[in-house]
Amino acid sequence: MDILVSTGSLTGIPLRTAFDLARRAGADGVELMLTGRLVRRGPERIQVLEDWTGVPVRAVHAVMRLREPSLHQAADDILLSARFAHSLAHCDTLVVHIPNAPTLHAPGTRIWFDAIETALAVTEQGRTRIAVENTGRLRRSDPDPFLDHPDRLLRFAQEWGVAITFDSAHAASQGWDVLDVVPRLAPHLANVHLSDYGRHTFRIGLANALLRDHQLPGSGVLPLDDVLARLVQAGYDGLVTLELSPVALRVPWLPSAERRLAAAIGRCRAAIFTALRAGRTTHHPGRP
């Protein structure tokens, strides 16, 4: 497994600095969180950053906007993101959120499906796979998207030929048993957004996004070492992206962010190594 850092975790610092910080912390690459501004500037600037820093963009997250986009804007963002990701030489995965719709027949769902179909055509001849991501619940009043269920997500991936990005904090906010879900999704995973889940839920959604979700591994309630072990046991060898709250990393205080990020990467690698070694011992008792 390759360990990436989401540039969204380093919001508020220049992108060049974020790439350099990820390299110094020991990451194998980054997942680029696209914004409208980055898309307008085009992928050429990112290609230059990859060359300058030696840090490859291994995954791209579809455009995120501060305000909820219209249905057509959201569909356009998927296509823009697919073209952007397809232009990057090292990009394996394009992360796309599922539609916020309670049924498959809700207004706008057809627009989302059409956008996914066109994005698949854009990326068909390249290395980039589209991977739909389970979403989180920031407030108790948030609606339940139809596809935000392990069985329905898995069926969609099977029928449409897309991959899945599993987000551990989002899963926890929906009450999923992460140790049960991971092996079931593993054959279709292309990326895992790994982060811990805090012990306290706040009344305000933004507080949950920054202070409860996407916490440093080991600081919350999720058995993330066991999640990584289950991935190893399932034969998963794809991307693991540390998608962490900037507050948890103490951004923009760079020395602290680098130390915390390096520790998180080290913890993930240690858990993966331990699981791999345990697997070898199980299958070959005579080996050290």
Side-chain angles (χ1 to χ4, degrees):
M1 287 179 242
D2 288 338
I3 311 296
L4 311 184
V5 173
S6 169
T7 60
S9 303
L10 303 170
T11 298
I13 65 176
L15 208 51
R16 168 70 186 266
T17 304
F19 275 53
D20 282 332
L21 193 151
R23 175 179 51 79
R24 293 196 304 271
D28 296 307
V30 297
E31 178 180 302
L32 181 68
M33 178 75 75
L34 281 183
T35 63
R37 184 179 183 185
L38 283 177
V39 169
R40 287 193 299 272
R41 289 184 172 185
E44 295 78 16
R45 179 170 178 260
I46 302 303
Q47 292 164 345
V48 170
L49 270 182
E50 289 181 302
D51 292 339
W52 279 351
T53 62
V55 177
V57 174
R58 299 288 307 282
V60 166
H61 193 297
V63 176
M64 295 289 287
R65 298 185 183 273
L66 292 177
R67 295 182 178 180
E68 186 75 19
S70 69
L71 297 174
H72 289 283
Q73 179 66 72
D76 288 344
D77 283 345
I78 292 174
L79 301 183
L80 290 170
S81 301
R83 296 185 183 107
F84 197 106
H86 184 63
S87 300
L88 299 177
H90 309 288
C91 182
D92 295 312
T93 304
L94 171 64
V95 180
V96 177
H97 283 183
I98 60 174
N100 188 21
T103 72
L104 292 181
H105 305 291
T109 306
R110 183 69 259 172
I111 297 173
W112 184 85
F113 279 121
D114 289 344
I116 292 294
E117 188 172 27
T118 305
L120 284 169
V122 169
T123 58
E124 184 178 13
Q125 300 303 320
R127 65 183 288 166
T128 304
R129 297 180 67 194
I130 294 174
V132 293
E133 179 185 6
N134 60 300
T135 59
R137 181 188 292 271
L138 294 179
R139 293 168 295 270
R140 291 186 179 91
S141 59
D142 285 351
D144 288 321
F146 178 78
L147 287 177
D148 212 1
H149 183 281
D151 293 337
R152 291 191 284 268
L153 199 61
L154 185 59
R155 183 172 178 181
F156 174 73
Q158 293 168 337
E159 292 184 355
W160 278 69
V162 299
I164 295 171
T165 292
F166 172 74
D167 189 299
S168 58
H170 290 175
S173 74
Q174 296 283 17
W176 296 8
D177 181 339
V178 294
L179 293 181
D180 173 67
V181 169
V182 162
R184 292 160 57 193
L185 299 183
H188 293 276
L189 288 177
N191 195 358
V192 174
H193 282 177
L194 197 77
S195 65
D196 220 325
Y197 185 78
R199 293 173 173 81
H200 182 70
T201 294
F202 302 88
R203 295 179 62 184
I204 300 173
L206 181 60
N208 288 323
L210 294 174
L211 302 175
R212 182 196 66 183
D213 302 353
H214 303 301
Q215 299 304 297
L216 288 164
S219 67
V221 300
L222 294 181
L224 296 182
D225 289 356
D226 292 336
V227 167
L228 291 169
R230 294 287 177 93
L231 288 169
V232 169
Q233 293 163 9
Y236 179 70
D237 194 29
L239 304 176
V240 174
T241 301
L242 288 168
E243 188 182 61
L244 304 169
S245 164
V247 176
L249 287 176
R250 302 297 188 264
V251 173
W253 180 242
L254 298 186
S256 177
E258 184 177 334
R259 286 195 303 271
R260 288 166 177 261
L261 204 50
I265 292 171
R267 181 185 179 115
C268 290
R269 290 211 171 104
I272 293 168
F273 176 79
T274 299
L276 286 169
R277 186 167 185 177
R280 288 196 295 269
T281 302
T282 299
H283 291 96
H284 304 281
R287 294 186 182 179

